[in-house]
Amino acid sequence: MTVIFKILTRNLWDEAVSRGRFDGAPVDLADGYIHFSTAEQVRETAAKHFAGQEDLLLAAFDSEAFGQPVKWEPSRGGALFPHLYASFDPACALWVEALPLGPDGQHVFPELTK
């Protein structure tokens, strides 16, 4: 199992849970796929794209459970990032945890290998 991660606002997640479907955050909709990160990439993703943002969640998923729509494509510095070319049911999350800001202004991550 390859676990991948999605950072998103609590509001977006709550809306997706109530609909039973996540179509993507605004950046995902603009790019045509849902952005995910690996455990090695997710802290940099938070620092680069979510700096200073509060009320965020970190959701973990089994990339193989998505099947064919996941493509590993080069992005930041040529690293391969998982991109999902489909919507998904939020119920398929392995877990969802708060991603609070610490006193230093950096996000405090839960254990990623749960």
Side-chain angles (χ1 to χ4, degrees), residues 12-26:
L12 274 176
W13 183 254
D14 290 346
E15 288 174 12
V17 169
S18 71
R19 284 194 329 264
R21 176 182 165 128
F22 182 73
D23 295 317

Side-chain angles (χ1 to χ4, degrees), residues 5-43:
F5 301 92
K6 179 68 180 165
I7 299 172
L8 68 168
T9 64
R10 184 177 301 277
N11 189 41
L12 274 176
W13 183 254
D14 290 346
E15 288 174 12
V17 169
S18 71
R19 284 194 329 264
R21 176 182 165 128
F22 182 73
D23 295 317
V27 67
D28 301 322
L29 297 172
D31 289 346
Y33 54 84
I34 299 175
H35 293 263
F36 286 88
S37 298
T38 65
E40 295 77 25
Q41 299 163 335
V42 73
R43 285 177 176 82

Side-chain angles (χ1 to χ4, degrees), residues 3-113:
V3 178
I4 57 176
F5 301 92
K6 179 68 180 165
I7 299 172
L8 68 168
T9 64
R10 184 177 301 277
N11 189 41
L12 274 176
W13 183 254
D14 290 346
E15 288 174 12
V17 169
S18 71
R19 284 194 329 264
R21 176 182 165 128
F22 182 73
D23 295 317
V27 67
D28 301 322
L29 297 172
D31 289 346
Y33 54 84
I34 299 175
H35 293 263
F36 286 88
S37 298
T38 65
E40 295 77 25
Q41 299 163 335
V42 73
R43 285 177 176 82
E44 185 179 348
T45 296
K48 182 173 177 134
H49 299 288
F50 298 93
Q53 289 188 37
E54 297 185 49
D55 208 26
L56 295 177
L57 298 174
L58 181 66
F61 299 89
D62 174 0
S63 68
E64 284 89 20
F66 290 131
Q68 188 62 24
V70 173
K71 296 189 186 325
W72 293 80
E73 299 175 312
S75 190
R76 196 167 53 227
L80 295 179
F81 279 75
H83 297 151
L84 178 63
Y85 286 83
S87 298
F88 65 83
D89 183 343
C92 73
L94 299 172
W95 52 263
V96 179
E97 296 282 342
L99 194 61
L101 286 174
D104 63 356
Q106 302 295 312
H107 291 100
V108 179
F109 281 79
E111 175 62 44
L112 299 180
T113 58

